[in-house]
Amino acid sequence: DGPPRRAPAQFAIARGRLARAPARAMADGRFDELLLGMAQKHRGIEDLLYTIMSFYERRTDLFHIKEDDAPGGKGFAAGSSEEMLRKQFRMLQTRYLERAQP
């Protein structure tokens, strides 16, 4: 079998699309069944988050820190992938608060 395969470079490099795509994809609920199925196999949100983040660690270059400023290539500038996650959290929390906890 060999070592696990990583996602294609464009998966991790297309930061603009990757950062915006989840909001559109989740807004229409098309992955709800898949994600609910995953959630039911976990002991809680933290356990589910661990599974998702460990997938990113094993199969993408989300955690790889670029060693130069050249465009393209593997990884992200120091701190940018963490900021991308924070940005998504803040955006989705704001959306939730406006919708469910006004």
Side-chain angles (χ1 to χ4, degrees):
D1 282 330
R5 295 184 56 210
R6 292 198 174 271
Q10 68 270 18
F11 177 80
I13 293 170
R15 288 188 289 263
R17 282 193 318 238
L18 190 59
R20 287 189 300 269
R24 289 191 309 266
M26 295 308 296
D28 67 14
R30 66 181 168 166
F31 295 113
D32 284 1
E33 301 256 344
L34 172 73
L35 293 169
L36 283 171
M38 286 178 59
Q40 290 169 350
K41 294 179 171 133
H42 290 80
R43 289 169 284 183
I45 291 175
E46 191 168 357
D47 192 34
L48 177 62
L49 285 172
Y50 176 83
T51 296
I52 293 168
M53 295 302 292
S54 70
F55 165 78
Y56 289 142
E57 183 265 329
R58 290 178 287 108
R59 300 293 184 122
T60 73
D61 62 352
L62 181 68
F63 293 99
H64 187 89
I65 299 173
K66 278 189 174 188
E67 296 182 15
D68 59 29
D69 292 333
K74 183 177 179 178
F76 296 85
S80 66
S81 55
E82 183 176 350
E83 181 53 34
M84 182 172 46
L85 293 169
R86 288 177 190 273
K87 180 180 174 183
Q88 290 295 319
F89 179 87
R90 287 188 300 263
M91 184 270 300
L92 292 167
Q93 184 178 46
T94 298
R95 191 171 78 185
Y96 172 83
L97 293 172
E98 290 171 353
R99 175 180 47 83
Q101 204 174 9

